[in-house]
Amino acid sequence: MKGDVYLLKYANPNVKTEDVQSILVDNIYTNPTTDQVNIELDEYYPEVCIMLYDEGGVICEKRIYHLVMTIYLNLPDVPDAYQLIIKNNYYSKSHLVIRR
């Protein structure tokens, strides 16, 4: 009917909040760091893209990795707060990384 409003709430009982939190990235350490951050993925992915942005939104680093579970990322020599984006074809995660 004209003017009727229907709401649909989708709930998947098989997906829990803690499951969503651990998708793609298991751990990022050492943060804050002095030079390098290590990224542990939750599984081997065919392709993972890592992008690092400075506080001004300028991209400092962009790399693509294939079939790895740990990524060692060297940060620029300038102490700053960086936005780290980790993504593949299905998921994207954002993390704040601080270099002292």
Side-chain angles (χ1 to χ4, degrees):
M1 285 189 160
K2 188 175 182 178
D4 288 348
V5 176
Y6 297 94
L7 298 175
L8 175 65
K9 181 179 178 185
Y10 175 77
N12 185 343
N14 298 322
V15 177
K16 299 177 179 68
T17 304
E18 57 270 14
D19 294 337
V20 174
Q21 295 300 320
S22 65
I23 290 175
L24 192 59
V25 178
D26 265 349
N27 194 12
I28 295 180
Y29 61 94
T30 306
N31 190 17
T33 186
T34 56
D35 59 351
Q36 177 178 292
V37 67
N38 303 314
I39 305 158
E40 290 182 357
L41 304 177
D42 65 338
E43 65 180 76
Y44 289 99
Y45 291 100
E47 185 174 289
V48 174
C49 182
I50 304 292
M51 294 172 289
L52 188 69
Y53 295 88
D54 67 11
E55 286 183 302
V58 176
I59 192 160
C60 303
E61 186 84 32
K62 180 179 180 180
R63 292 192 179 192
I64 296 175
Y65 297 87
H66 301 277
L67 298 172
V68 296
M69 284 197 71
T70 303
I71 297 170
Y72 307 98
L73 183 64
N74 291 318
L75 298 178
D77 289 334
V78 181
D80 204 348
Y82 296 93
Q83 190 70 28
L84 176 64
I85 308 291
I86 305 160
K87 67 181 198 171
N88 66 8
N89 289 337
Y90 305 103
Y91 306 106
S92 179
K93 293 280 187 150
S94 174
H95 296 274
L96 180 66
V97 175
I98 299 178
R99 179 176 175 139
R100 297 186 242 177

